[in-house]
Amino acid sequence: MHDDRLLTEARLNRFVADRLLPAVYARALPLTVTGWNVPDEPVSFAEAVDQDYVPVVGGEPWGAPWSTKWLRISGTVPAGWGAEGRTLEAVVDLGFTIEIPGFQCEGIAWRLDGTIAKAISPRNQHVSVDLLGSGDGIEFLVEAAANPDVARGFVFAPTPLGDKATAGALPQYRLGPIVLAERDLQVWELCQDVGSLNGLMHVLPVDLPRRSEILRALETMMDVMDPTDVSGTAVAGRAALAEVLSRPAYASAHNVVATGHAHIDSAWLWPVRETIRKCARTFANVLALMNDHPDFVFSCSSAQQLAWMKEFYPDLFVRIKAKVATGQFVPVGGMWVEADTNMPGGEAMARQFVEGKSFFRREFGVECRETWLPDSFGYSGALPQIARAAGMEWFLTQKISWNQVNRMPHHTFLWEGIDGSRIFTHFPPVDTYSSELSAAELAHAQRNYREHGRGTLSLVPFGYGDGGGGPTREMIAAAYRAADLEGSPTVSIGSPAQFFAQAAAEYPDPPVWLGEMYLELHRGTYTSQANTKLGNRRSEHLLREAELWAATAAVRLGMEYPAGQLKRLWQLVLLQQFHDILPGSSIAWVHRDAERNYDAIAGELYPLIRETVQALAGAGDEPLLVNAAPHERAGVPALGIGPMVLPDEPVRITEADGGYVLANGIIRAAIDANGLLTSLLDYATGREAIAPGSFGNHLELHRDTPNAWDAWDIDEFYRHNVTSCAAARSVTLERMGREPVVVIERLVGSSPVTQRIRLAAGSPSLSIQTLVDWQESEKLLKLGFPFDVRADRSAAETQFGHVYRPTHTNTSWEAAKFEICAHRWIHVAEPGYGVAVSNSNSYGHDVTRAVRSSDQGTTTTVRLSLLRAPRSPDPFTDQGPHGFWVTVRPGAAIADAVEEGYRTNLEALHVRGAAPVQPLFTVFNPALVIEAVKLAEDGSGDVVVRLYESLGQRSTGLVTAHFPVGSVEVTDLLEEAVAAPAGVVPGPGGAELTLRPFQLVTLRFRR
């Protein structure tokens, strides 16, 4: 037989493009269109419907970036249209391209009664006339959003489109045809048959008989059909394909559970205000699909997005609730947003689940059991414990498939956190959270699956995502055809819970992955958009203080606890922790919004804290220190208010070689004529912390031009180009009260830098403030400290503990971690001696080691990443003033690092009052750190305490309440009673604790 395969495939492509697809709509006629341009920000339907609309013609330009245009569309259905086998649809082309749906203009169709019918998007332009109402006439409104294509093919070139202030006013789009059309159902179904078979054929080996059988069936289909009468011969064409479509799958075929999905980024290349409309558009689409396909299931994460629907689209929210009740619309994830997990603090990470799960329970009666984070940029080793403490049983992501170097060895496994908690985890081997259920994607999932021979099942989230849109009827048709099809994995539509239950049952003893899941990509997100990072860190600590003092005042004074205000502010902070906001990878508009939100949060919390503290302290003139930290400070107990104990020994300062030496009897620091730290010694050990021949407080400027993903990525070759910024313009001495401050002026590139080095009396650490007026482009600024420590690993704070990472590069896994995330502190040590570096608002770090040729000693260098200057998606990232506070503590153990982290981030508050205020709680062992003190979520007035073991060792202690307590019970994160774990013994007025390393415990003290 002659090989005419390529010719036949070419014939098929032409037949589909020229004959089949144009015949889907048998006939069409133009609709009447008028329009109204919204002057500024989007308006409600009620405001839009009564405006004066003017005629609009096809091809008319419209849509300045981020603007909105309302269209009024009307027409009459001709007699005889909509006969059996044909459905009537309005087809609206707003000027789309078919590429990257969700990243360009979109619309939503409104009925005249003010309810939403369906969305309109590039690959989903139709609206069924049945959805718009009955009768011979149709009339509806389209709210068209002129969202600009900021991505522009992801070339990462600078663009002004990401900020409304710079985007300009030129129209972005031209209106295409807007018509009433008849869809020929047989032709449409034939297109789905051909699409599925053609896709399957191309993923099968050329020498497999099944591939040739499909090709010949497609050839027969073309032969039996009349290209001049596609509609009349479509049934014959489908009959020619029926046999090859009915062949059952191999018995050993991989099994796929497909769940509808949309992954709507809560902000990214669009602002939050547009995300709200994207959610409405997407959810309207899936509700329409559910009416047509009762077996269709859609999985929706992010309580925040559904809360927006309740607030802004109440009718849509009611319809969503109805579909939740039928099991078709499935809330998943149990978090407020799909958060970044590297940078949020421990309590913030816990509150993601508290707020998310509470919303799903309250609004839908749903108990989420799967943690759903398909697109976050790496996963903290503390997450398994936090998720399990929130009642989660399963975890899903796929982002690790983006690793640049190392491939994860599993797709289904147990993930073990830093405390020993384990959670059943799945990475969809389809390697996307926005599948179209194409044959190529399904074949990739089967081929890529790492658990063959042990497991048979994987999950495929399908539907257009990132910018939203969700599943389409074509995707559902593809799922039906692949349900049991020879050569393809089997496909069943279901929920994540159904998948996880089946997967866990068939794979009872999966392998284990221990510790963090580090994404070998997007390392720049620890540093980009420094103001967003600062706002997050500051807000987390302000909320800690506000809750602590409000709870103390409620118990001590009977003051009203501001529960509603605190919940609202927590939810706003949690929103900013979305995985494209806190990481700094969004357009300028998003980060300006975040900065305004953080300022508003601080504007509410600072007065709340001060007013509450003043009420606790009472009227008087005694100077008092307010200590919100979980450790004693200046003689004031943890979580209490009292008079400071001033240190006996003042700070001594001497001049040496054009620089200064500071000493306070605990440590001594030498600063040279360039403001560099040449010596740092603690008297207790007598050891010098700075490596011989080196200096700390070293600013270094690197070229920062990643291959792609500018705001996201730092590529390893940034180290190839570095400029030492060691020279100072001036080094002078000032006074801050009784204490001397060394002031250094520098120029880093074109950016003025002022540093203030301070040693406080009685302090075990040296404080360095760095103020930068950042004027660089595509540069990375680091602050380094080379220590005379032979450290083979570093310890970096994460949620409720710390994670160790090697400082060497023995393997590719270690070499890939050239930029790492730390929260408030990082610690390097050899047996018996260590140094801690704390920070106020930095997350990116690197730790390297070198053996000195002079004495064979080891220099371990800790560097903090202070600022970057990527040009995409925000071309002016971080331009302007910034401040960073760093402390260096020599002779430090892990416990000292933990204390230093709180000291650096919980600024001292001084008041005058009548008397000290006793803490609500004391802890016998400082290794057990109280992270949160608050009143219970249920309004009962009970006091909730969350604490953790902070040193990474078994620790024993006693938590005692200093107020009348009825009983003490152990709870989950949602403050519901659970059986006390081993080592936790509640008693009258307190609890005895023997905690494993990093164990997290929540206690409820009933009043």
Side-chain angles (χ1 to χ4, degrees):
M1 183 176 181
H2 295 294
D3 184 4
D4 65 347
R5 175 177 60 86
L6 296 179
L7 289 172
T8 305
E9 289 175 3
R11 178 190 173 196
L12 177 66
N13 293 338
R14 179 79 185 271
F15 185 79
V16 170
D18 290 358
R19 305 296 179 173
L20 285 188
L21 292 178
V24 168
Y25 287 114
R27 48 188 173 178
L29 59 84
L31 292 168
T32 300
V33 183
T34 57
W36 172 66
N37 295 318
V38 180
D40 190 22
E41 283 293 280
V43 301
S44 68
F45 172 87
E47 183 175 347
V49 70
D50 292 329
Q51 300 298 324
D52 293 327
Y53 286 71
V54 298
V56 172
V57 297
E60 179 176 312
W62 74 281
W66 307 113
S67 68
T68 300
K69 185 181 188 74
W70 284 78
L71 303 174
R72 186 184 290 270
I73 300 170
S74 60
T76 301
V77 178
W81 280 43
E84 185 176 354
R86 296 188 178 186
T87 60
L88 293 179
E89 297 177 347
V91 181
V92 179
D93 182 355
L94 297 176
F96 306 115
T97 62
I98 62 170
E99 290 78 19
I100 57 171
F103 293 79
Q104 51 181 293
C105 61
E106 302 170 75
I108 193 159
W110 291 83
R111 304 181 188 95
L112 295 184
D113 64 1
T115 60
I116 293 172
K118 184 183 168 293
I120 297 165
S121 54
R123 302 185 192 177
N124 199 349
Q125 299 180 23
H126 62 276
V127 184
S128 170
V129 170
D130 290 340
L131 281 175
L132 298 172
S134 59
D136 293 337
I138 62 169
E139 186 173 7
F140 63 101
L141 269 62
V142 171
E143 181 185 5
N147 301 333
D149 178 10
V150 178
R152 296 189 302 168
F154 292 99
V155 295
F156 307 107
T159 173
L161 293 173
D163 192 332
K164 193 175 179 182
T166 60
L170 291 177
Q172 302 290 293
Y173 303 103
R174 288 184 179 273
L175 286 175
I178 298 177
V179 300
L180 176 67
E182 270 190 322
R183 180 166 64 111
D184 188 312
L185 296 182
Q186 284 296 335
V187 175
W188 185 86
E189 294 286 359
L190 176 59
C191 287
Q192 311 317 305
D193 293 344
V194 171
S196 291
L197 287 171
N198 190 29
L200 177 60
M201 178 179 68
H202 279 89
V203 300
L204 295 175
V206 174
D207 58 356
L208 194 70
R210 172 67 166 160
R211 175 168 181 151
S212 296
E213 290 170 357
I214 293 173
L215 180 66
R216 295 311 160 198
L218 291 168
E219 182 179 42
T220 301
M221 177 271 299
M222 291 184 283
D223 289 342
V224 301
M225 290 188 65
D226 182 350
T228 65
D229 185 16
V230 171
S231 178
T233 56
V235 171
R238 296 199 69 198
L241 301 177
E243 197 277 331
V244 289
L245 275 171
S246 66
R247 297 274 188 92
Y250 305 129
S252 60
H254 183 63
N255 301 304
V256 164
V257 174
T259 194
H261 190 229
H263 183 67
I264 307 170
D265 283 313
S266 291
W268 181 26
L269 303 183
W270 45 86
V272 166
R273 72 91 150 138
E274 193 56 36
T275 306
I276 298 171
R277 297 203 293 181
K278 283 178 175 288
C279 291
R281 291 190 283 260
T282 300
F283 300 158
N285 277 345
V286 299
L287 290 171
L289 284 173
M290 287 171 186
N291 291 332
D292 294 336
H293 304 280
D295 58 344
F296 168 58
V297 174
F298 178 74
S299 296
C300 180
S301 73
S302 301
Q304 171 69 90
Q305 295 182 357
L306 291 166
W308 283 329
M309 297 304 97
K310 182 179 181 182
E311 179 179 1
F312 297 107
Y313 298 92
D315 174 71
L316 198 61
F317 188 71
V318 169
R319 292 158 58 192
I320 289 171
K321 291 187 75 167
K323 292 301 183 181
V324 172
T326 67
Q328 285 186 272
F329 196 108
V330 181
V332 297
M335 297 175 70
W336 190 246
V337 296
E338 289 185 13
D340 177 79
T341 77
N342 288 310
M343 291 174 283
E347 188 59 23
M349 209 67 243
R351 297 301 177 94
Q352 287 285 354
F353 290 97
V354 171
E355 294 300 328
K357 291 199 71 169
S358 296
F359 182 89
F360 288 148
R361 285 178 176 181
R362 181 174 63 251
E363 298 295 339
F364 304 117
V366 167
E367 184 68 32
C368 294
R369 294 191 291 165
E370 63 291 291
T371 306
W372 187 271
L373 290 171
D375 190 34
S376 295
F377 307 151
Y379 304 92
S380 157
L383 193 55
Q385 176 177 211
I386 298 170
R388 292 307 300 266
M392 311 305 270
E393 299 179 37
W394 311 308
F395 178 82
L396 179 136
T397 184
Q398 72 85 37
K399 194 70 173 186
I400 296 295
S401 69
W402 286 41
N403 270 6
Q404 287 179 314
V405 180
N406 299 288
R407 184 182 179 189
M408 283 289 289
H410 316 297
H411 280 111
T412 303
F413 57 99
L414 293 177
W415 179 21
E416 181 178 325
I418 59 175
D419 77 311
S421 297
R422 291 180 172 183
I423 190 166
F424 189 87
T425 298
H426 181 66
F427 293 168
V430 70
D431 286 345
T432 178
Y433 49 74
S434 300
S435 171
E436 298 179 40
L437 293 182
S438 69
E441 290 169 329
L442 295 174
H444 177 77
Q446 177 169 269
R447 185 171 57 251
N448 190 40
Y449 183 61
R450 303 297 294 267
E451 317 304 318
H452 286 309
R454 299 289 184 183
T456 66
L457 193 66
S458 72
L459 188 73
V460 174
F462 71 95
Y464 297 122
D466 290 331
T472 64
R473 61 191 181 190
E474 288 79 13
M475 297 175 193
I476 295 175
Y480 290 159
R481 283 158 177 79
D484 187 16
L485 182 62
E486 182 185 356
S488 169
T490 66
V491 176
S492 60
I493 296 176
S495 70
Q498 291 169 334
F499 161 77
F500 275 111
Q502 294 176 50
E506 77 162 8
Y507 205 3
D509 189 25
V512 176
W513 179 271
L514 172 62
E516 73 173 331
M517 291 192 288
Y518 177 94
L519 179 65
E520 296 173 357
L521 196 72
H522 294 357
R523 303 167 183 90
T525 58
Y526 312 146
T527 304
S528 296
Q529 298 288 357
N531 286 334
T532 301
K533 274 39 172 198
L534 172 63
N536 176 72
R537 185 78 68 82
R538 180 183 64 188
S539 297
E540 289 180 344
H541 287 82
L542 286 174
L543 281 163
R544 171 201 168 85
E545 292 186 78
E547 288 186 332
L548 167 65
W549 301 127
T552 304
V555 173
R556 296 274 184 254
L557 307 176
M559 287 180 63
E560 183 178 357
Y561 186 76
Q565 181 184 16
L566 291 170
K567 178 179 284 289
R568 173 174 53 80
L569 295 177
W570 261 119
Q571 290 177 354
L572 186 54
V573 170
L574 299 179
L575 169 60
Q576 314 311 311
Q577 292 178 339
F578 176 73
H579 65 251
D580 276 307
I581 302 179
L582 180 53
S585 48
S586 291
I587 56 174
W589 188 341
V590 172
H591 292 288
R592 301 303 86 79
D593 280 351
E595 290 163 23
R596 283 189 289 270
N597 287 332
Y598 287 132
D599 287 345
I601 290 164
E604 288 194 50
L605 290 178
Y606 277 123
L608 174 62
I609 291 167
R610 184 161 287 279
E611 291 165 11
T612 307
V613 165
Q614 195 62 66
L616 284 164
D621 291 325
E622 182 179 359
L624 301 171
L625 174 69
V626 181
N627 182 18
H631 308 96
E632 179 184 312
R633 183 179 292 185
V636 179
L639 316 180
I641 303 173
M644 290 180 63
V645 177
L646 296 176
D648 295 329
E649 185 168 347
V651 179
R652 300 183 304 277
I653 186 161
T654 58
E655 295 187 22
D657 300 325
Y660 301 92
V661 176
L662 310 178
N664 64 359
I666 301 173
I667 65 173
R668 185 189 71 198
I671 300 146
D672 73 5
N674 278 308
L676 302 170
L677 184 63
T678 57
S679 174
L680 185 61
L681 180 144
D682 70 289
Y683 290 111
T685 67
R687 276 192 58 163
E688 172 60 58
I690 300 298
S694 301
F695 47 83
N697 191 37
H698 185 196
L699 289 168
E700 294 178 288
L701 195 63
H702 292 266
R703 183 191 301 170
D704 184 19
T705 53
N707 290 341
W709 301 103
D710 291 30
W712 294 256
D713 281 2
I714 291 175
D715 286 338
E716 189 275 339
F717 56 78
Y718 86 90
R719 291 177 172 171
H720 299 179
N721 300 92
V722 57
T723 300
S724 172
C725 305
R729 289 179 157 184
S730 66
V731 178
T732 57
L733 192 66
E734 293 181 355
R735 289 276 173 181
M736 180 181 292
R738 302 190 310 161
E739 293 163 352
V741 179
V742 178
V743 181
I744 305 109
E745 301 287 346
R746 306 185 190 279
L747 189 65
V748 173
S750 302
S751 302
V753 175
T754 301
Q755 292 187 295
R756 288 182 169 84
I757 302 180
R758 173 175 173 248
L759 179 60
S763 174
S765 61
L766 185 72
S767 172
I768 302 173
Q769 179 194 55
T770 302
L771 304 177
V772 185
D773 185 3
W774 191 235
Q775 302 297 324
E776 308 308 304
S777 178
E778 298 182 303
K779 295 291 190 293
L780 168 63
L781 180 63
K782 282 188 170 270
L783 176 65
F785 299 90
F787 298 123
D788 188 11
V789 175
R790 184 171 173 79
D792 61 356
R793 62 181 184 174
S794 65
E797 188 188 32
T798 188
Q799 298 96 355
F800 303 120
H802 53 270
V803 59
Y804 288 106
R805 300 183 182 97
T807 58
H808 57 77
T809 55
N810 285 356
T811 72
S812 59
W813 291 89
E814 292 142 3
K817 295 179 182 178
F818 57 81
E819 184 80 1
I820 57 176
C821 183
H823 285 195
R824 293 170 291 198
W825 57 265
I826 195 163
H827 181 264
V828 291
E830 62 187 45
Y833 183 81
V835 184
V837 179
S838 78
N839 73 84
S840 63
N841 52 310
S842 298
Y843 294 94
H845 295 73
D846 73 284
V847 182
T848 55
R849 61 191 297 279
V851 174
R852 302 184 293 271
S853 59
S854 59
D855 62 356
Q856 301 304 302
T858 300
T859 299
T860 300
T861 300
V862 175
R863 297 196 306 168
L864 300 87
S865 299
L866 301 186
L867 288 163
R868 299 185 65 221
R871 303 191 66 202
S872 173
D874 176 2
F876 304 105
T877 302
D878 280 333
Q879 301 297 292
H882 300 275
F884 305 89
W885 290 260
V886 171
T887 72
V888 186
R889 183 164 174 169
I894 290 288
D896 302 316
V898 173
E899 180 181 353
E900 201 66 33
Y902 281 100
R903 186 183 300 275
T904 304
N905 285 271
L906 284 169
E907 62 183 274
L909 176 61
H910 299 272
V911 298
R912 289 187 176 273
V917 178
Q918 183 186 33
L920 291 183
F921 299 94
T922 54
V923 181
F924 172 72
N925 184 348
L928 306 180
V929 171
I930 291 179
E931 179 63 16
V933 177
K934 60 187 288 293
L935 293 197
E937 294 286 315
D938 61 7
S940 63
D942 295 343
V943 184
V944 172
V945 173
R946 193 146 26 245
L947 53 85
Y948 68 101
E949 198 290 318
S950 65
L951 305 185
Q953 63 189 36
R954 187 175 297 273
S955 298
T956 299
L958 178 66
V959 181
T960 302
H962 299 290
F963 59 91
V965 173
S967 63
V968 182
E969 61 190 28
V970 181
T971 75
D972 60 15
L973 292 185
L974 278 79
E975 302 170 9
E976 295 187 350
V978 297
V984 180
V985 183
E992 296 179 4
L993 304 175
T994 300
L995 301 188
R996 66 181 182 269
F998 305 128
Q999 186 175 351
L1000 175 65
V1001 174
T1002 303
L1003 299 173
R1004 182 177 185 132
F1005 291 77
R1006 295 195 177 274
R1007 294 167 62 193

